[in-house]
Amino acid sequence: MQPKIVCFGETLWDVLPSGKQPGGAPFNVAVHLHQLGQPVELISRVGDDDLGAELVAFLHERGLSTDYVQQGQTHLTGVVKANVGDRNEVVYKIVQPVAWDYIQYEERLSQLVAEAAMLVFGSLAARTPATRETLYRLLPQAKFRVFDVNMRPPHYTRPVVQYLLEHSDLVKMNHHELAEILEWFGKSADDDSALEWLATRFNLQAVCVTLGADGALLWTGGQLYRSPGVPVEVTDTIGSGDAFLAALLTGWLAGQPPQECLQFACATGALVATYQGATPLITPADVAALRQAQSVSFPS
């Protein structure tokens, strides 16, 4: 059995005009990691309600463990209203407080994280003191910490994001988030050395920036790698970044070269964008077929 990846944070329903879809970045990353063959555990919290029971049932149907998905009596399961008017730039209204704002620390969580190969987390789950404190207690236990920045206004603050950057090994963000973070330090995202500066400033092993349809950048090992986007007919981009991260980490754990990790991640994110919702059923073979069909010429 491969070492587990642990995803920590929000589990919720994305409410779309067409109906509700399971979601939450850590939830989505966990589902896609599982689909890509990675043993994964999810640390989260749902309410003692029908929506929570449905999320747990969804995870079971997909073959994922719910051993570390807590159930709370005092707060309802999370809901997010997603506006998909612009298919390439989804706008979210995130309800609070909800169950995942109150993920409780347990000793067994520390043991789980300490034994895992990676801990994946984001800034959204750190918006409230209860879940933030639990995350902060788990970070020192992790062998390798992956920060999926995921800044959703008004649910983050600079001090929290900066603290998480300081306690990370690999950071993934989109180009908007990169520009905002660099602006805090008087830097420009247009500077070719921006990713290297960020990695040096926070002692990071890797910085990855997604560029939407234009692909992604990855700085690691003293080198900047680029991959163009894979052209597809977009249905919606919900979950594409989460699928991208799951694929990137799958390649990383397998010891694939950075360029191959990045290309695989871009293709996986693009494939998910061709479906509605964040967690369509996909396989590594589907990703390979898309790459083959597109016959994209990737620069080295």
Side-chain angles (χ1 to χ4, degrees):
M1 198 71 168
Q2 298 163 283
K4 280 189 171 69
I5 301 175
V6 176
C7 295
F8 176 98
E10 62 272 16
T11 295
L12 49 84
W13 288 98
D14 285 322
V15 180
L16 309 169
S18 57
K20 68 182 192 298
Q21 299 272 356
F27 177 96
N28 296 339
V29 173
V31 171
H32 286 298
L33 282 166
H34 178 74
Q35 294 190 143
L36 294 172
Q38 298 299 321
V40 63
E41 290 283 359
L42 174 64
I43 299 174
S44 191
R45 190 175 182 91
V46 297
D48 182 14
D49 51 28
D50 289 346
L51 290 179
E54 286 182 59
L55 284 171
V56 169
F58 177 87
L59 289 168
H60 286 156
E61 286 166 12
R62 291 295 186 92
L64 280 86
S65 161
T66 58
D67 291 349
Y68 300 91
V69 178
Q70 302 169 358
Q71 187 178 68
Q73 305 289 327
T74 54
H75 292 88
L76 298 175
T77 298
V79 172
V80 169
K81 295 173 183 175
N83 183 340
V84 292
D86 180 348
R87 291 181 300 174
N88 294 301
E89 203 71 55
V90 182
V91 178
Y92 299 93
K93 181 180 180 184
I94 305 170
V95 177
Q96 77 175 114
V98 290
W100 56 261
D101 287 314
Y102 297 91
I103 299 173
Q104 302 297 306
Y105 177 80
E106 305 171 40
E107 284 297 332
R108 68 189 189 122
L109 301 185
S110 279
Q111 183 176 350
L112 174 71
V113 169
E115 292 174 354
M118 291 178 168
L119 173 66
V120 182
F121 55 92
S123 64
L124 184 54
R127 71 180 178 174
T128 53
T131 296
R132 183 166 65 243
E133 180 184 336
T134 300
L135 175 58
Y136 283 12
R137 292 180 71 174
L138 295 176
L139 287 173
Q141 313 299 324
K143 294 186 180 79
F144 191 85
R145 298 157 299 182
V146 179
F147 180 20
D148 181 10
V149 175
N150 202 25
M151 298 194 306
R152 303 288 186 198
H155 302 284
Y156 66 91
T157 64
R158 175 176 172 176
V160 168
V161 172
Q162 197 163 322
Y163 182 90
L164 295 175
L165 285 168
E166 289 164 354
H167 293 80
S168 300
D169 298 295
L170 183 154
V171 174
K172 173 249 176 189
M173 65 188 79
N174 64 34
H175 54 295
H176 300 303
E177 292 160 344
L178 174 68
E180 182 172 344
I181 290 170
L182 288 172
E183 189 179 340
W184 295 345
F185 301 97
K187 301 287 182 180
S188 169
D190 296 328
D191 188 334
D192 286 345
S193 64
L195 270 60
E196 182 179 4
W197 182 88
L198 200 62
T200 302
R201 169 66 177 76
F202 291 102
N203 194 29
L204 302 167
Q205 289 189 34
V207 180
C208 184
V209 178
T210 56
L211 307 171
D214 294 327
L217 306 171
L218 175 65
W219 188 95
T220 188
Q223 188 170 341
L224 182 64
Y225 300 87
R226 301 173 186 267
S227 177
V230 177
V232 293
E233 185 66 37
V234 173
T235 299
D236 72 51
T237 57
I238 298 174
S240 290
D242 304 323
F244 173 98
L245 180 59
L248 183 74
L249 298 181
T250 296
W252 186 280
L253 279 176
Q256 293 288 340
Q259 188 69 44
E260 172 58 25
C261 290
L262 199 57
Q263 291 170 198
F264 177 56
C266 284
T268 306
L271 179 62
V272 168
T274 67
Y275 293 89
Q276 186 177 68
T279 51
L281 284 164
I282 62 167
T283 67
D286 295 331
V287 181
L290 174 63
R291 293 178 68 180
Q292 181 66 32
Q294 294 291 347
S295 299
V296 178
S297 176
F298 291 104
S300 59

